[in-house]
């Protein structure tokens, strides 16, 4: 009877021992079942010591293999639709099967099914198209390997060619396909019927206005670019709605703006603006112009920027030969984009506003053989942009350090609270310290000697102090955060600088150091459970382990933030209005922030240096070891001089000497004191789509280069500002040529504005202009 009960409740065990094992010491044996032999995906035999929930996972993996294989040979549309639904259900219930889907060439199989669909459109065709894009969206959702595989297989041109036959002869298919492309782009298939709803006569303004656009997160930009390529086949109402929706997406968040900027749609939109195709109305052209202005604030890829600059010149035949005039449309776009050229550096985006993990995992930092925290104190530096503060049930983790032994010991934690204040913790504190901002004090001008090669302009009348003057960290702008923990036992030995100005202080004994390696995390806290993992429970001889058999929790407990990303997305189409609003608020309840650069130094720095680090700007990604004056433009040099004069704390002569030396030679910083130096340009991709973090400090051995990896929804976004594009294909001569060709007061004002903004934003162009003056 005992074996019969176990057989009923443990159906995944292939066979049982017919003879009970002998019991020792009068106690029942902990294992009555003979070890089964299984075959892995690769065909290798193994004996698992896994809980039955892991057997259930293996069963799902086998189901995924069979479904993908069957899809290869399926010829009936009804069979294909059923198999695609089965694959989607398996992915939703067991995310590990997405790796199997890739290994079984699932992407190629689904794209082959998509290309084999033929017009005219039918309800079954529409269902298959929707299922295919649902499977693709789920397969790549927060999965770097699958995302890299799909990107290598298709771009917007390939996807356009795959769908062209299906949509070229039937307008209904076009509307449905565009809806599926939109839903695939944001991984929300409640939007798949958006264009159909508008085509059926619903008011476009009300339909688009009902969307919570700030909760929409662009994930697959290929779908957006493909949608634009199909506009010539769509109806006027669909075209107008698509362009208006694109404009709203571009303005919804800076993360969406940056991803769309890098997707190649700038060239497409500029082509529409220049040619004015008949299928785009005047209001559509207005939407395109607004989208382009917003996108160009973050610049454009070099090739697309080159096309825009070439369009400046309109050739005109005259009796004396050809003459050139400036195109007002291009001039206006570049003028607006160059105005924001210095605002956006390349950055790493953490979080999408939802409850999913996003961070950098540096689990084995060797720290050049040094302890952490360093014996001479330590300094944390970061340029961050907070798009959205965390809510009450989440936090924004700037740095978390812990030892690598078991149990892990927290060494340091710096985070942003929902209130916008910083919280700092070390083991020498009884509890985390909330760093309250200091009250403002009257400024005391301090003289400073600046190297001859740094150009200082007199301060303007009425220049305000750069101190933020607020009780919390500013949002929706770049801020520079510096935390210095001095190793001395003194009051206010913990100092936080915001934009180079002393913002908050605390007093804390210096924490006990830990030998390398040390685990460092950005964006996430410790991935370890709070307690050591419990031993795997054995099955009861009669009932087994009920939780394990039915998919329960015999695995080590993991934080909620780790598991939520694996949950299937909610089905919004069947929700009542109240539930839909709750679901949308849940989707947008996490933080969203960006990191331009970050340094962790195993030494403390003087109070005067944070102001210099702030003046260098978020685009600076060096290690402060070169003469820093050459990275300063006229505007930055003036800002540094004014800032030093107006700072609210007193300077030491030693600090002023350090500042002068940093400008002329670089700061006194040994290479071994750089624990890490992180920037988007130090993120590389391995052959499996995993983004690896490379230490940007110099003179590293090859085996020590890799620092960690990106995890979750963290994305590397590399910005190409317009001044950088100008520097790449011609330098200041291109901008001077614009000034030369200006033929009216308005054109001259625009050309000079472009030149001035570019020189203010780029130290390379500033240096080139200075050298050209000396010739």
């Amino acid at each position: 009877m005992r074996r019969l009960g176990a057989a009923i409740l443990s159906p995944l065990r292939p066979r049982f021992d017919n003879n009970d094992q002998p019991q020792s010491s009068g106690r029942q044996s902990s294992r009555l079942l003979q070890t089964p032999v299984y075959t892995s995906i690769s065909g290798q035999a193994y004996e698992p010591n896994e809980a039955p929930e892991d057997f259930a996972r293996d069963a799902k993996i086998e189901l995924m293999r069979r479904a993908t294989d069957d899809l290869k040979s399926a010829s009936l549309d009804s069979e294909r639709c059923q198999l695609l639904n089965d694959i989607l259900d398996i992915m939703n219930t067991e995310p590990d099967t997405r790796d199997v889907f890739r290994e079984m060439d699932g992407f190629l199989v689904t794209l082959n099914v998509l290309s084999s669909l033929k017009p005219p459109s039918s309800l079954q065709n529409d269902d298959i198209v929707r299922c295919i894009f649902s499977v693709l969206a789920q397969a790549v959702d927060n999965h770097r390997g699958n995302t890299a595989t799909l990107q290598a297989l298709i771009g917007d041109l390939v996807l356009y060619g795959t769908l062209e036959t299906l949509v070229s002869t039937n307008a209904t298919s076009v509307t449905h396909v565009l809806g599926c492309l939109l839903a695939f782009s944001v991984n929300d298939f409640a939007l798949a019927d958006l264009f159909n709803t508008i085509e059926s006569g619903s008011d476009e303004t009300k339909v688009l206005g009902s969307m919570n656009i700030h909760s929409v997160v662009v994930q697959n930009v290929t779908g957006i670019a493909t949608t634009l390529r199909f506009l010539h086949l769509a109806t006027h109402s669909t075209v107008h709605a698509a362009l208006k929706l694109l404009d709203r997406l571009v303005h919804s968040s800076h993360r969406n703006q940056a991803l769309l900027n890098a997707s190649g749609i700038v060239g497409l939109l500029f082509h529409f603006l220049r040619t004015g195709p008949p299928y785009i109305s005047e209001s559509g052209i207005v939407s395109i112009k607004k989208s382009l202005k917003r996108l160009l604030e973050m610049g454009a890829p070099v090739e697309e920027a080159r096309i825009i600059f070439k369009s400046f010149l309109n050739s005109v035949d005259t009796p004396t030969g050809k003459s050139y005039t400036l195109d007002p449309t291009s001039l206006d776009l570049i003028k607006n984009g160059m105005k924001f050229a210095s605002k956006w550096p390349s950055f790493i985006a953490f979080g999408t506003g939802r409850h999913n993990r996003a961070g950098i995992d540096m689990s084995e930092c060797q720290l050049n053989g040094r302890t952490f925290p360093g014996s001479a104190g330590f300094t944390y530096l970061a340029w961050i942009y907070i798009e959205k503060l965390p809510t009450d049930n989440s936090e924004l983790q700037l740095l978390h350090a812990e030892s690598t032994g078991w149990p892990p010991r927290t060494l340091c934690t710096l985070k942003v609270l929902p209130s916008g204040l910083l919280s700092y913790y070390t083991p020498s504190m009884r509890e985390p310290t909330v760093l309250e901002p200091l009250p403002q004090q009257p400024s005391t001008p301090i003289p400073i000697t600046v190297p001859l090669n740094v150009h200082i302009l007199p301060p303007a009348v009425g220049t305000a102090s750069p101190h933020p003057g607020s009780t919390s960290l500013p949002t929706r702008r770049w801020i520079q955060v510096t935390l210095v923990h001095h190793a001395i036992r003194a009051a206010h030995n913990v100092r936080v600088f915001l934009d180079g100005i002393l913002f908050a202080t605390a007093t804390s004994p210096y924490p006990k150091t830990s030998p390398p390696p040390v685990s460092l995390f950005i964006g996430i806290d410790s991935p370890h459970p709070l307690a050591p993992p419990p031993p795997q429970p054995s099955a009861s001889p009669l009932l087994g382990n009920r939780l394990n058999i039915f998919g329960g929790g015999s695995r080590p407990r993991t934080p909620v933030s780790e598991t939520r990303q694996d949950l299937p997305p909610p089905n919004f189409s069947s929700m009542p209005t109240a539930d839909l609003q709750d679901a949308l608020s849940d989707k947008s309840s996490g933080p969203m922030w960006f990191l331009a650069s970050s340094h962790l130094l195993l030494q403390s720095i003087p109070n005067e240096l944070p102001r210099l680090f702030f003046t260098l700007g978020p685009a600076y990604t060096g290690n402060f070891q070169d003469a820093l004056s050459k990275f300063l433009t006229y505007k930055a040099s003036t800002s540094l001089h004014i800032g030093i004069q107006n700072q609210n704390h007193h300077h030491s002569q030693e600090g002023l000497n350090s500042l002068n030396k940093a400008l002329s030679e670089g700061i006194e910083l040994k290479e071994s004191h750089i624990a890490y130096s992180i920037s988007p340009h130090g993120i590389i991709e391995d052959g499996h789509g995993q983004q690896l973090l490379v230490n940007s400090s110099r003179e590293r051995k090859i085996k020590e280069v890799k620092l960690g990896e990106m995890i979750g929804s963290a994305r590397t976004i590399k910005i190409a500002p317009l001044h950088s594009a100008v520097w790449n294909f011609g330098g200041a001569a291109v901008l001077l040529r614009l000034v030369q060709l200006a033929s009216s007061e308005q054109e001259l004002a625009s050309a000079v504005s472009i030149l001035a903004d570019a020189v203010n934003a780029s130290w390379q162009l500033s240096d080139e202009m200075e050298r050209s003056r000396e010739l």
Side-chain angles (χ1 to χ4, degrees), residues 47-122:
E47 293 185 2
N49 291 319
E50 301 172 311
E53 66 171 6
D54 296 322
F55 299 160
R57 180 196 61 196
D58 294 340
K60 292 288 186 181
I61 288 175
E62 182 62 28
L63 288 174
M64 176 63 77
R65 293 179 62 195
R66 293 181 181 179
T68 309
D69 266 338
D70 291 344
L71 186 60
K72 295 177 183 178
S73 57
S75 57
L76 298 177
D77 288 344
S78 57
E79 185 181 4
R80 289 174 171 180
C81 195
Q82 182 60 50
L83 288 170
L84 288 167
N85 276 309
D86 291 344
I87 290 173
L88 184 61
D89 289 341
I90 295 171
M91 285 184 182
N92 283 331
T93 55
E94 183 51 66
D96 289 344
T97 57
R98 297 185 295 176
D99 291 311
V100 182
F101 178 77
R102 181 187 70 251
E103 293 165 3
M104 298 294 295
D105 295 328
F107 290 108
L108 282 174
V109 175
T110 51
L111 291 174
N112 181 59
V113 172
L114 189 61
S115 63
S116 65
L117 298 177
K118 303 296 181 184
S121 174
S122 66

Side-chain angles (χ1 to χ4, degrees), residues 81-302:
C81 195
Q82 182 60 50
L83 288 170
L84 288 167
N85 276 309
D86 291 344
I87 290 173
L88 184 61
D89 289 341
I90 295 171
M91 285 184 182
N92 283 331
T93 55
E94 183 51 66
D96 289 344
T97 57
R98 297 185 295 176
D99 291 311
V100 182
F101 178 77
R102 181 187 70 251
E103 293 165 3
M104 298 294 295
D105 295 328
F107 290 108
L108 282 174
V109 175
T110 51
L111 291 174
N112 181 59
V113 172
L114 189 61
S115 63
S116 65
L117 298 177
K118 303 296 181 184
S121 174
S122 66
L123 184 60
Q124 204 154 47
N125 269 4
D126 291 348
D127 290 342
I128 292 176
V129 170
R130 184 181 183 125
C131 286
I132 286 175
F133 282 111
S134 299
V135 168
L136 293 177
Q138 184 64 24
V140 301
D141 185 33
N142 286 337
H143 195 297
R144 299 190 184 278
N146 285 1
T147 300
T149 300
L150 185 61
Q151 288 176 348
L153 285 175
I154 63 169
D156 56 293
L157 286 173
V158 174
L159 193 54
Y160 171 77
T162 303
L163 292 165
E164 187 177 17
T165 304
L166 177 65
V167 303
S168 59
T169 58
N170 193 296
T172 305
S173 250
V174 176
T175 306
H176 180 72
V177 167
L178 292 183
C180 290
L181 285 170
L182 170 65
F184 168 68
S185 301
V186 300
N187 195 12
D188 187 349
F189 280 82
L191 302 177
D193 294 324
L194 178 73
F195 296 123
N196 283 331
T197 303
I198 294 174
E199 284 294 325
S200 64
S202 299
D203 184 77
E204 174 193 300
T205 304
K206 290 184 178 179
V207 173
L208 296 181
S210 64
M211 292 177 56
N212 184 3
I213 196 67
H214 296 289
S215 70
V216 177
V217 180
V218 174
Q219 300 190 38
N220 306 298
V221 292
T222 303
I224 299 290
T226 308
T227 299
L228 293 178
R229 295 190 181 277
F230 275 118
L231 290 185
H232 67 285
L233 298 175
T235 63
H236 285 287
S237 57
T238 299
V239 171
H240 186 268
L243 293 175
K244 193 171 181 179
L245 180 59
L246 174 63
D247 180 50
R248 295 192 65 195
L249 281 176
V250 168
H251 286 81
S252 62
S253 72
H254 289 103
R255 183 185 186 277
N256 288 350
Q257 178 188 356
L259 289 175
L260 291 170
N261 177 276
S263 67
I265 69 170
V266 171
L268 278 172
L269 293 177
F270 186 73
H271 174 73
F272 292 154
L273 186 62
R274 291 276 292 177
T275 59
Y279 54 87
I280 299 180
S281 62
E282 287 296 327
S283 58
I285 294 294
V286 172
S287 296
I288 289 175
K289 189 176 293 187
K290 287 173 58 180
S291 299
L292 271 176
K293 282 188 174 183
R294 179 72 169 180
L295 289 171
L296 288 175
E297 290 178 6
M298 290 189 177
V302 175

Side-chain angles (χ1 to χ4, degrees), residues 296-366:
L296 288 175
E297 290 178 6
M298 290 189 177
V302 175
E303 290 305 317
E304 294 183 343
R306 188 191 299 270
I307 292 173
I308 296 176
F309 271 90
K310 280 185 176 181
S311 69
F312 267 124
L313 302 180
N314 293 327
S315 60
V316 179
D317 292 327
T318 64
T320 59
K322 279 192 175 183
S323 64
Y324 296 93
T325 59
L326 296 180
D327 179 71
T329 301
S330 302
L331 198 65
D332 183 54
L333 288 175
I334 294 297
K335 178 185 175 182
N336 183 78
M338 200 68 78
K339 187 183 301 182
F340 297 91
S342 61
K343 182 178 179 180
W344 285 103
S346 299
F347 59 87
I348 304 170
F350 296 97
T352 60
R354 304 181 184 181
H355 276 301
N356 51 12
R357 301 181 75 230
I360 298 177
D361 182 349
M362 298 173 281
S363 297
E364 296 288 335
C365 252
Q366 296 297 330

Side-chain angles (χ1 to χ4, degrees), residues 600-623:
L600 184 62
L601 311 180
L602 302 180
Q603 68 180 51
S604 58
I605 61 173
N607 293 340
E608 290 73 17
L609 289 184
R611 181 71 203 186
L612 174 58
F613 298 157
F614 166 71
T615 307
L616 290 170
Y620 178 80
T621 56
N623 294 323

Side-chain angles (χ1 to χ4, degrees), residues 30 49-51 53 531-539 545 548 553-557:
S30 63
N49 291 319
E50 301 172 311
E53 66 171 6
Q536 297 290 344
S538 58
N545 187 325
N548 293 343
S554 70
R555 294 180 181 176
R557 180 167 57 89

Side-chain angles (χ1 to χ4, degrees), residues 491-508:
H492 310 297
N493 61 334
V494 178
R495 299 194 166 204
V496 175
F497 298 83
L498 179 63
D499 291 345
I501 299 172
L502 187 63
F503 181 72
T505 63
T507 302
S508 169

